[in-house]
Amino acid sequence: MSFTASRPCVRLPIFQALQVSRNLSSSLSLGLNRVPPESPSYIRLPTPPQSDEAKPTRVRGHLPIPREIFPRLEGDKKVHPEYIQRTAPRPAKSREETSAEQRWNAALADSRRTNLKNGLDSLWTRRFNMDKSRNERVGRRFQQHNKASAAPDREDDRLTQPTILGSIMDTKLYPDPDRFSRADRSRTKVLALEKSKHEARRDALMELYISASSFIVHENELKAEIDKVFAEDYFRQQSRAAYRHGATENTWGVYGRPPSVANMMETSVGASTKVMDFDESEYDRSVKRQKRIAEDLTGGKME
């Protein structure tokens, strides 16, 4: 088969491939042009103009802190002629300038003195004008703020603002009309508390004075008390002294168990369930009450 005979067979697949690629490209372009509703580009808006702001160029490094030429405490001291005279004094003795170099140096010195004086005068004038303008601006703003704060509300603000009670808007601090009566009540309370403390202190001193009669003040008394308390039959002797027969080997057998809250309530209402209280008569209870009353009256412990 010759090459010319096979050319139509070659062109047909190429044409079909081009057609398929053209169809695919058109379908892809259509698919890409579709914008979903959730996309920000769904609604086409005009593009805003770009900003033409010219940003300053960045300068490397930092500027030094400027000197304070006229300190606040000195004021206009550097403007006075005495300061210029001390800073750039003239020669003490006037001499004749014979050469051109001496005349040139003298002229330079006079020029420096003049420039120093003119420069200080200009700087002080600028400083004075800046301070004056700043003070005027601050004072004007202060007056405007005070005038605005003291001005009444506008009509639209007054009609649209919520209802506020006048008592809430009144922030003045008024004196308490009952301050003197409260001070008297507080004074009476403090005096009563001090008096109760004084009475409690006096009762404690009286009880200490009465109890001091049985204090151990000598070593022999201490030894005798130790021998008595730590004896083997101490609790038996206490039982016989109280006419309580039986084996009592501890303090509970002599004095009984400590009273509980229920026991104290039963004693107060006269309905005790203890066996030893069955034989207690009204006379015994009256004696105990009288002893407590006597202790309260005398301020001491009654044995």
Side-chain angles (χ1 to χ4, degrees):
M1 182 183 295
S2 64
F3 179 75
T4 56
S6 61
R7 182 175 296 175
C9 298
V10 174
R11 287 182 176 179
L12 182 60
I14 295 175
F15 178 76
Q16 293 176 355
L18 292 174
Q19 189 66 24
V20 171
S21 64
R22 188 179 296 108
N23 295 335
L24 290 175
S25 62
S26 60
S27 62
L28 289 175
S29 62
L30 291 175
L32 292 175
N33 290 333
R34 291 184 58 196
V35 180
E38 60 271 12
S39 176
S41 302
Y42 185 73
I43 301 176
R44 298 183 180 276
L45 298 175
T47 304
Q50 299 297 325
S51 175
D52 56 352
E53 179 184 1
K55 295 184 179 180
T57 58
R58 180 180 178 184
V59 180
R60 302 285 181 175
H62 61 279
L63 295 175
I65 300 176
R67 288 179 53 192
E68 189 176 5
I69 302 176
F70 301 100
R72 298 291 178 180
L73 298 178
E74 295 183 1
D76 59 345
K77 175 183 177 182
K78 295 182 179 181
V79 185
H80 296 169
E82 294 81 3
Y83 178 81
I84 306 296
Q85 180 64 25
R86 290 196 306 269
T87 305
R90 293 183 176 276
K93 296 181 180 180
S94 59
R95 55 186 179 180
E96 297 180 359
E97 292 81 1
T98 57
S99 62
E101 183 179 359
Q102 292 179 352
R103 288 193 296 273
W104 174 255
N105 291 334
L108 288 179
D110 293 339
S111 176
R112 285 195 295 270
R113 295 188 188 94
T114 305
N115 294 337
L116 176 63
K117 183 178 183 306
N118 296 336
L120 290 176
D121 292 341
S122 301
L123 290 175
W124 174 252
T125 303
R126 185 173 66 176
R127 163 75 176 277
F128 179 79
N129 294 334
M130 289 176 59
D131 291 347
K132 182 179 179 181
S133 61
R134 183 175 62 252
N135 294 335
E136 291 178 354
R137 184 171 61 256
V138 171
R140 185 169 59 255
R141 289 182 179 177
F142 181 75
Q143 293 178 0
Q144 291 176 358
H145 292 169
N146 286 347
K147 184 178 179 180
S149 62
D153 296 337
R154 294 184 307 178
E155 190 66 16
D156 54 348
D157 291 340
R158 187 183 66 82
L159 296 175
T160 56
Q161 67 183 359
T163 303
I164 301 175
L165 299 177
S167 58
I168 298 178
M169 299 299 295
D170 188 7
T171 58
K172 183 180 178 181
L173 183 61
Y174 295 95
D176 187 7
D178 300 333
R179 58 186 182 277
F180 296 108
S181 59
R182 288 194 296 105
D184 294 339
R185 289 196 300 269
S186 178
R187 188 182 301 105
T188 304
K189 185 178 179 180
V190 171
L191 292 177
L193 182 60
E194 292 294 334
K195 185 177 180 181
S196 63
K197 290 182 179 180
H198 177 72
E199 294 292 339
R201 192 182 303 110
R202 188 176 62 178
D203 295 344
L205 290 175
M206 190 64 185
E207 185 175 354
L208 180 63
Y209 174 75
I210 295 174
S211 301
S213 59
S214 59
F215 283 176
I216 297 174
V217 296
H218 199 270
E219 186 176 358
N220 296 332
E221 296 178 357
L222 177 61
K223 291 181 180 180
E225 187 67 21
I226 291 174
D227 294 340
K228 176 183 176 183
V229 172
F230 289 94
E232 294 182 358
D233 57 346
Y234 173 74
F235 293 108
R236 294 192 184 93
Q237 294 177 4
Q238 294 293 327
S239 299
R240 284 194 291 269
Y243 299 101
R244 294 178 181 177
H245 303 286
T248 55
E249 300 295 339
N250 49 37
T251 184
W252 282 12
V254 178
Y255 302 106
R257 292 181 301 176
S260 62
V261 177
N263 299 140
M264 289 187 288
M265 291 294 296
E266 291 170 355
T267 304
S268 62
V269 299
S272 177
T273 58
K274 294 194 297 184
V275 178
M276 62 179 62
D277 291 339
F278 286 162
D279 299 333
E280 187 178 17
S281 61
E282 184 63 29
Y283 172 77
D284 298 330
R285 289 192 290 270
S286 178
V287 169
K288 291 181 181 179
R289 285 195 297 269
Q290 291 179 7
K291 185 182 293 186
R292 287 197 300 269
I293 295 172
E295 290 177 355
D296 295 338
L297 293 176
T298 59
K301 192 72 175 177
M302 302 297 294
E303 299 293 342

